[in-house]
């Protein structure tokens, strides 16, 4: 780092820019294809700007009752937002318990949270499915939301953050007669906004993009989330790429919006998870 | 003895802890243990289960389908790991600069990370499509006759590796970048004053100090590679002709297509044991190449 000679900086930025094309172009191509008429799809040379621009894939996706794309969007939003709220809330509360109370078994319970982080989800997918079957929750919103209430990674991040908060304010609040619930909601939470945002964004992206679990527990087309719905489309309309990529575009837009809006928090979260290693 | 205050405190602790801890027990810890038990049963959920001891493990370990899936998973890993790690390291080194506009490019490299696997898989399936696909068109400009990619048993796994490297590079890059930015500036200055050129500085200062981050991303990427599933399911469903069948895809097929809950559980425990072994080996050999600061 430090100050580079001009030619080094120029070379650096040129390589970075050329490389970034590889990562950006597929998205451009996705949007372009989604706006291409079915009859033009396989024409050579391919057109970057479709001629004519054709929105029929989008119209079909939203108008055809056998393709409940609107439902999938709503399902994805309902599930991801519920999971996010629950995960942030329970993680923050647990992190508060771990950092503000001392009690027998605290260390063991904390290790249990961390241990589930190390065990891949696939080890439990079969028994978790059986469990939900016994609970009668298969093929429902509950199946997508309730098993996800606990977020060990969120507990871990918030635990580290709460440890670093200055204690003087809290002690002053206790002296003034505030209880733990008030200290938690009116002091600790507001002071931890950035890290809570990080946890929220991670939680949202995780459930928005989740595929294996919805695939296992959801059958009804009306209850599918976007990734699952898209995958079911792709086995029905094998070569209707404009239709498939219109669906893909719609499912990417919210997450890209979240990313652009919350980039700082995402990057901070990834960096933090790396630095613990 | 617990007095009134003690009970009150206990109640508060429970109030804060249980909303996360109960679901953790019910939906993570319990299924983890239960899957060990299920792996000892013959059970299709329709008939009562039957205890058969380690027979599922024997069935899986002698099943040629499983061998093929395991070999394919290793093939995926051997192709994916070096590409994604070297790629991520190169991009991280390039982006580790205070030039204007760097944050913008960092965002672009990270974009595939936030995109769902289903979208990425569909997108690359289309880009690599032998009919109308952009990649073969671009290769054609250079006079190269592109292969059939995911329709061709030889090229199907490389197609999946390519899409995976594209998606995951940004994530690994970001962790390495955080590691790079925690290397103190003075060390570079000292090396510069000693007359070290740019390559020399990378080799003698940057890489040694970055080894903890490199170890971390290597382990994460390896664990992820063993569990490869989404992209395979959407791009090839394990085909053509089983060329891309992988372990997780077999687990899902066994459990949810054939109802072999015990066998599927046994298979996922075998996979977990393999992952654990590789992780422990990595941690064991780290002393040979990872440098920790004092």
């Amino acid at each position: 780092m430090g100050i580079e000679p001009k030619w080094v900086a120029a070379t650096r930025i040129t390589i970075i820019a050329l490389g970034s094309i590889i990562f950006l172009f597929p998205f451009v191509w996705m949007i372009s294809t989604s706006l291409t008429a079915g009859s033009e799809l396989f024409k050579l040379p391919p057109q970057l700007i479709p001629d004519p621009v054709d929105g029929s894939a989008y119209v079909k996706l939203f108008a055809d009752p056998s393709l409940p794309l609107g439902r999938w969007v709503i399902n994805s939003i309902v599930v991801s937002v519920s999971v996010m709220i629950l995960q942030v809330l329970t993680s923050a509360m647990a992190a508060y318990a771990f950092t503000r109370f001392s009690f027998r078994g605290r260390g063991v319970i904390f290790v249990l949270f961390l241990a589930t982080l190390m065990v891949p989800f696939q080890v439990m997918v079969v028994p978790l499915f059986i469990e939900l079957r016994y609970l009668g929750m298969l093929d429902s919103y509950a199946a997508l939301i309730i098993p996800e209430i606990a977020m060990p990674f969120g507990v871990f991040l918030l635990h580290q953050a709460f440890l670093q908060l200055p204690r003087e304010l809290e002690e002053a609040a206790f002296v003034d007669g505030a209880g733990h619930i008030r200290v938690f909601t009116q002091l600790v939470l507001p002071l931890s906004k950035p890290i809570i945002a990080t946890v929220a964004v991670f939680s949202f992206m995780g459930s928005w993009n989740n595929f294996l679990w919805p695939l296992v527990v959801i059958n009804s087309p009306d209850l599918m989330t976007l990734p699952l719905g898209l995958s079911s489309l792709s086995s029905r309309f094998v070569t209707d790429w404009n239709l498939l990529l219109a669906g893909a575009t719609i499912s990417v837009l919210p997450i890209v919006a979240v990313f652009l809006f919350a980039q700082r928090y995402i990057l901070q979260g990834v960096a933090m998870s790396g630095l613990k290693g | 003895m617990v007095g009134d205050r003690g009970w009150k405190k206990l109640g508060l602790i429970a109030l804060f802890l249980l909303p996360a801890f109960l679901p953790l027990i019910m939906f993570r810890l319990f299924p983890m243990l239960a899957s060990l038990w299920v792996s000892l049963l013959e059970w299709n959920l329709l008939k009562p289960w039957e205890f058969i001891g380690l027979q599922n493990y024997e069935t899986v370990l002698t099943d040629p389908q499983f061998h093929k899936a395991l070999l394919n998973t290793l093939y995926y890993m051997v192709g994916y790991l070096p590409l994604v790690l070297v790629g991520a390291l190169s991009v991280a080194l390039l982006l580790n600069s205070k030039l204007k506009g760097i944050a913008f490019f960092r965002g672009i490299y990270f974009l595939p990370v936030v995109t769902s696997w289903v979208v990425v898989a569909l997108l690359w399936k289309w880009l690599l499509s032998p009919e109308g696909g952009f990649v073969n068109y671009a290769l054609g400009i250079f006079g190269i006759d592109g292969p059939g990619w995911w329709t061709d048993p030889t090229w199907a796994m490389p197609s999946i590796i390519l899409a995976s490297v594209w998606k995951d590079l940004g994530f690994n890059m970001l962790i390495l970048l955080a590691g790079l930015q925690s290397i103190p500036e003075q060390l570079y200055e000292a090396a510069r004053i000693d007359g070290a050129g740019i390559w020399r500085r990378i080799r003698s200062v940057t890489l040694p100090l970055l080894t903890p981050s490199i170890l971390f991303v290597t382990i994460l990427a390896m664990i992820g590679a063993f569990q490869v599933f989404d992209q395979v399911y959407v791009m090839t469903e394990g085909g053509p002709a089983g060329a891309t069948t992988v372990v997780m895809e077999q687990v899902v097929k066994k459990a949810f297509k054939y109802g072999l809950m015990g066998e599927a559980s046994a298979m996922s425990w075998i996979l977990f044991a393999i992952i654990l072994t590789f992780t422990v080996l990595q941690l064991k050999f780290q002393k040979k190449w990872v440098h920790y600061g004092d």
Side-chain angles (χ1 to χ4, degrees):
Chain A
M1 296 234 278
I3 291 134
E4 290 178 325
K6 272 227 167 78
W7 69 270
V8 176
T11 317
R12 184 191 284 273
I13 210 84
T14 311
I15 302 176
I16 291 173
L18 287 177
S20 72
I21 294 176
I22 301 173
F23 289 82
L24 195 59
F25 177 77
F27 289 106
V28 175
W29 194 242
M30 170 175 78
I31 297 169
S32 159
T33 302
S34 76
L35 292 169
T36 305
S39 55
E40 304 283 310
L41 275 177
F42 299 100
K43 267 207 182 133
L44 289 175
Q47 304 287 316
L48 185 59
I49 297 168
D51 178 31
V53 172
D54 176 283
S56 61
Y58 289 91
V59 174
K60 185 172 179 194
L61 277 180
F62 280 104
D64 187 336
S66 79
L67 309 171
L69 188 87
R71 269 306 293 256
W72 298 341
V73 174
I74 294 170
N75 291 342
S76 273
I77 292 174
V78 169
V79 170
S80 303
V81 171
S82 318
V83 168
M84 180 180 77
I85 293 171
L86 286 166
Q87 288 192 337
V88 168
L89 203 66
T90 61
S91 303
M93 289 167 72
Y96 186 85
F98 283 126
T99 54
R100 296 303 187 267
F101 295 105
S102 59
F103 50 94
R104 210 183 293 166
R106 184 174 68 171
V108 178
I109 297 178
F110 189 61
V111 168
L112 282 179
F113 272 91
L114 293 190
T116 57
L117 267 182
M118 320 273 168
V119 181
F121 178 70
Q122 45 100 344
V123 171
M124 38 198 145
V125 64
V126 173
L128 192 54
F129 169 85
I130 300 174
E131 186 182 346
L132 288 207
R133 192 167 172 271
Y134 275 103
L135 294 172
M137 290 204 291
L138 289 183
D139 208 19
S140 70
Y141 277 154
L144 296 174
I145 297 171
I146 297 194
E148 307 289 334
I149 291 176
M151 180 188 182
F153 183 58
V155 174
F156 171 75
L157 281 184
L158 290 168
H159 177 266
Q160 306 305 97
F162 287 179
L163 279 180
Q164 284 162 14
L165 288 180
R167 291 295 174 85
E168 293 81 12
L169 280 174
E170 290 170 43
E171 274 151 24
F174 283 126
V175 170
D176 286 348
H180 277 287
I181 294 176
R182 246 184 79 197
V183 167
F184 174 68
T185 52
Q186 295 184 9
L187 252 168
V188 172
L189 284 187
L191 283 175
S192 317
K193 266 185 204 150
I195 186 75
I196 286 177
T198 302
V199 172
V201 169
F202 266 82
S203 162
F204 183 86
M205 289 195 325
S207 48
W208 186 269
N209 291 335
N210 197 356
F211 178 63
L212 174 57
W213 183 242
L215 174 74
V216 165
V217 291
I218 298 297
N219 262 321
S220 324
D222 270 354
L223 285 169
M224 287 180 174
T225 53
L226 266 170
L228 191 55
L230 269 183
S231 139
S232 80
L233 273 190
S234 81
S235 39
R236 242 180 87 191
F237 303 94
V238 183
T239 56
D240 294 339
W241 290 107
N242 53 344
L243 192 74
L244 296 175
L245 294 178
T249 305
I250 291 167
S251 87
V252 161
L253 285 180
I255 209 76
V256 168
V258 168
F259 175 62
L260 293 178
F261 191 67
Q263 194 177 8
R264 188 159 60 98
Y265 300 119
I266 300 174
L267 304 186
Q268 173 189 338
V270 175
M272 270 184 77
S273 68
L275 291 180
K276 77 170 194 248
Chain B
M1 288 290 104
V2 196
D4 262 6
R5 275 187 58 107
W7 282 114
K8 203 181 154 208
K9 190 185 144 202
L10 212 62
L12 263 176
I13 294 172
L15 176 74
F16 276 101
L17 192 58
L18 291 184
F21 192 45
L22 279 184
L24 189 85
I25 296 173
M26 277 187 73
F27 301 113
R28 291 290 179 272
L29 297 171
F30 171 71
M32 251 161 65
L33 293 178
S35 88
L36 262 184
W37 170 242
V38 174
S39 75
L40 305 176
L41 309 177
E42 185 178 312
W43 195 13
N44 64 6
L45 300 184
L46 303 174
K47 284 183 286 188
W49 50 262
E50 191 185 333
F51 184 85
I52 54 169
L54 294 175
Q55 206 178 304
N56 284 324
Y57 289 88
E58 203 191 317
T59 314
V60 171
L61 288 171
T62 54
D63 178 3
Q65 275 286 15
F66 176 72
H67 297 162
K68 186 161 193 193
L70 191 58
L71 277 178
N72 279 337
T73 308
L74 289 174
Y75 174 19
Y76 170 79
M77 196 168 76
V78 169
Y80 163 85
L81 271 188
L83 285 175
V84 81
L85 293 174
V86 172
L89 184 60
S90 316
V91 176
L93 285 170
L94 283 166
L95 288 176
N96 185 27
S97 150
K98 293 196 176 91
L99 287 174
K100 263 197 193 138
I102 283 282
F104 169 75
F105 286 113
R106 192 182 56 185
I108 291 182
Y109 284 92
F110 200 74
L111 216 47
V113 180
V114 299
T115 310
S116 81
W117 246 122
V118 175
V119 168
V120 172
L122 279 179
L123 185 48
W124 276 92
K125 205 175 165 179
W126 168 229
L127 286 167
L128 294 173
S129 165
E131 256 179 279
F134 184 85
V135 172
N136 275 0
Y137 164 73
L139 289 175
I141 295 176
F142 298 102
I144 302 168
D145 196 10
W149 297 109
W150 45 269
T151 60
D152 177 340
T154 314
W155 285 93
M157 192 55 95
S159 307
I160 290 173
I161 292 171
L162 187 66
S164 309
V165 170
W166 183 82
K167 174 157 165 58
D168 295 342
L169 190 135
F171 177 79
N172 295 290
M173 174 274 287
L174 204 65
I175 293 180
L176 292 173
L177 191 58
L180 280 174
Q181 286 170 349
S182 65
I183 298 176
E185 193 100 353
Q186 301 94 292
L187 289 176
Y188 290 107
E189 286 307 318
R192 204 195 311 265
I193 290 164
D194 288 347
I198 181 160
W199 292 116
R200 182 67 212 230
R201 287 203 298 272
I202 290 181
R203 237 188 47 208
S204 311
V205 180
T206 314
L207 288 183
L209 289 172
L210 196 61
T211 44
S213 301
I214 295 178
L215 174 73
F216 181 72
V217 293
T218 308
I219 290 181
L220 272 195
M222 189 195 70
I223 294 176
F226 270 118
Q227 298 178 63
V228 54
F229 173 75
D230 293 8
Q231 57 268 58
V232 172
Y233 186 87
V234 179
M235 282 178 83
T236 62
E237 287 187 78
T244 57
T245 180
V246 288
V247 177
M248 251 334 266
E249 186 245 353
Q250 288 282 320
V251 170
V252 170
K253 212 181 255 172
K254 282 247 154 51
F256 304 109
K257 197 166 169 194
Y258 305 122
L260 299 166
M261 296 297 160
E263 230 180 285
S265 292
M267 201 185 279
S268 56
W269 272 97
I270 293 169
L271 181 61
F272 180 46
I274 296 173
I275 294 177
L276 208 60
T277 312
F278 271 77
T279 310
V280 169
L281 282 178
Q282 287 253 15
L283 289 173
K284 215 171 154 169
F285 282 113
Q286 65 161 324
K287 290 186 202 94
K288 296 217 192 299
W289 61 278
V290 177
H291 299 251
Y292 287 104
D294 301 314

